[in-house]
Amino acid sequence: MSRHVAIVTDSTAYLPTRTMDRHGISSVPLTVVLGDRALEEGTEISTRALAQALQKRRPVTTSRPAPAVFEETYRKVAESGATGIVSLHLSAELSGTYDAAVVAARRAPVPVRVVDTGMIAMALGFCALAAAETAEAGGTVDEAVTAAEKRAAGTSAYFYVDTLDYLRRGGRIGAAQALLGSALAVKPLLQLADGRIEPLEKVRTASKAIARLEEIAADRAGSAQVDVAVHHLAAPDRASALADRLRGRLTGLADLHVSEVGAVIGAHTGPGLLAVVVSPR
């Protein structure tokens, strides 16, 4: 690695492999526990297998990486020539990943700045890209952290789920508990706020909820230059159609990524998830 500052993130950033390779970003995998089997996200469990397990109501939980996994990653990055590391991770409100990275950073062979971005999915991915681009331009650790934090401050994530049941079972819905009483009668729209999943609106049908998701994303983007990600789980047609509509109406659209979420986020949202991340440049 030729860069002075290296960027590490985790598997919930859902960055395309080619993008990570191009920018030299390293990723530490979280774990999905399916029944009695612990499987690494991204390598040992497919989203299709996860969706089938959830539909069959098999027990699925998730687990943070062990500090030792972070230690090994930091060591390899340092051996590749980095003299400083910025380690960017999903919200500490949703996972213990940040805490594990902090423990490992104390034993790393080079200085490591661990950052709780408060983000998930490509909202985290865009932060990692901002840090990597700053590092590639010769930026310091502090400058790369500032770039990531600035990107996080401006990024919004909204999502639709067919049911709140998976989020409830995983203990990830926080104030969205207020929606549970009428969950069967409405289709919930949620947002990421202060690192937590919070209720945004309640809509009567799936089609109206997805149309509203599009409106919210378009309003958030305005005429600014933005990067956008559309995520889904077992809903590729919905995601593709939404992405096409956003391409047609966002005047400042820079990049648009469409991808299926990995097993960790999918385990907590369930099949049918549709999400939009709007990240001004």
Side-chain angles (χ1 to χ4, degrees):
M1 184 176 296
S2 60
R3 289 201 319 277
H4 202 60
V5 175
I7 308 302
V8 173
T9 188
D10 59 65
S11 59
T12 67
Y14 301 139
L15 285 164
T17 300
R18 64 183 182 278
T19 300
M20 295 181 63
D21 290 344
R22 184 168 66 248
H23 294 282
I25 299 171
S26 300
S27 179
V28 174
L30 274 72
T31 299
V32 176
V33 181
L34 183 58
D36 59 356
R37 299 174 62 205
L39 306 167
E40 278 191 2
E41 180 175 40
T43 59
E44 297 180 336
I45 181 170
S46 68
T47 50
R48 175 174 293 185
L50 170 77
Q52 291 173 345
L54 292 172
Q55 289 164 344
K56 294 177 181 177
R57 302 188 69 83
R58 293 180 61 190
V60 180
T61 58
T62 59
S63 176
R64 71 178 191 179
V69 179
F70 277 105
E71 287 184 50
E72 178 67 8
T73 299
Y74 296 155
R75 183 188 62 77
K76 288 181 178 178
V77 169
E79 289 177 351
S80 297
T83 57
I85 299 171
V86 177
S87 198
L88 302 155
H89 301 292
L90 79 160
S91 172
E93 294 282 349
L94 303 175
S95 169
T97 301
Y98 167 81
D99 294 330
V102 169
V103 171
R106 300 189 187 113
R107 297 192 286 267
V110 296
V112 180
R113 284 280 299 279
V114 182
V115 180
D116 171 14
T117 66
M119 300 282 108
I120 53 175
M122 273 299 292
L124 168 59
F126 288 134
C127 294
L129 283 175
E133 288 165 357
T134 299
E136 287 168 346
T140 65
V141 166
D142 287 345
E143 289 168 338
V145 169
T146 297
E149 291 178 338
K150 182 178 180 181
R151 196 72 186 259
T155 296
S156 300
Y158 310 101
F159 52 104
Y160 159 83
V161 291
D162 277 334
T163 173
L164 287 169
D165 188 46
Y166 300 104
L167 285 161
R168 177 187 59 79
R169 280 190 271 165
R172 297 303 198 277
I173 55 176
Q177 291 277 3
L179 292 176
L180 287 175
S182 55
L184 296 178
V186 300
K187 293 298 183 179
L189 292 178
L190 306 165
Q191 65 179 335
L192 192 64
D194 298 323
R196 297 183 297 274
I197 296 170
E198 303 283 4
L200 182 60
E201 295 182 6
K202 293 179 284 187
V203 185
R204 283 293 174 182
T205 67
S207 60
K208 289 181 179 179
I210 294 169
R212 182 61 184 141
L213 182 65
E214 176 186 341
E215 290 294 329
I216 291 168
D219 289 347
R220 175 66 185 86
S223 59
Q225 186 180 35
V226 295
D227 294 322
V228 172
V230 175
H231 290 303
H232 72 93
L233 179 62
D237 293 341
R238 277 180 176 176
S240 179
L242 176 56
D244 287 343
R245 293 194 299 271
L246 290 172
R247 284 190 187 97
R249 67 184 297 176
L250 299 186
T251 58
L253 182 64
D255 288 331
L256 193 152
H257 303 260
V258 181
S259 66
E260 192 163 30
V261 299
V264 168
I265 290 179
H268 294 292
T269 60
L273 164 74
L274 196 60
V276 181
V277 175
V278 180
S279 185
R281 289 198 170 188

